[in-house]
Amino acid sequence: MRTLAVVLCAQMLMLLCACGAAPEEEKESLLERYQTAQQLSMEAQVRFGSAEQVEEYTLRCDWYADGSAEIEVIEPEDIAGLKASVDGEDLTLIYEDMVLPAGELSSEEISPAMALPVLMRSVREGWLLEESREDWGEVPCVRLSWDLTGENGGKVLSALWIRKDDGTPVHGEITVDEEIILQVEFTDFTFGATIGQELTEGASS
């Protein structure tokens, strides 16, 4: 009887492990494309605000390996075409001949326009905190979260739900002061060429 109980416990532990942490090889395979790509192009819906008042933007972003990024507002229509550029640590919104400040959303001064660059920077530079198999809706995903130091020295926690089949992100969240300040729903995502691919293509041309 005791032997049977031990066997059952072992089987349960194996089942829990299969449903929990993602295997190391799986995690490394998913992250490698983010960490070696020279460009990441994406479109996403960014949501922020309190339960009483939620605002949403649809943004297009081209993020580059040097940390720079170009963001354009797709929706809402009244500010469609508004552009943002990230150069190192500076964010400037540009619309025609006007230059506007990005504004602040938290103690770490992360505006909605910074959501996508912050998530991509976390993948490349953040300290990995958690990894697990966690579906988003009906999409099989691996959930990864990172700790990144904010501009004012505070913690910025970022999480991504990444599709297991093709490695593209489905959902993202940014948390500051234990509050989720930004939520992201990805609608399109493309990996640019890696350095190795660029060298190969250059040699064959």
Side-chain angles (χ1 to χ4, degrees), residues 83-94:
K83 295 182 179 180
S85 60
V86 178
D87 182 8
E89 299 178 352
D90 298 326
L91 175 65
T92 302
L93 295 182
I94 304 172

Side-chain angles (χ1 to χ4, degrees), residues 188-205:
D188 188 42
F189 194 92
T190 304
F191 292 96
T194 64
I195 295 177
Q197 288 175 325
E198 290 176 345
L199 293 175
T200 301
E201 292 170 359
S204 61
S205 60

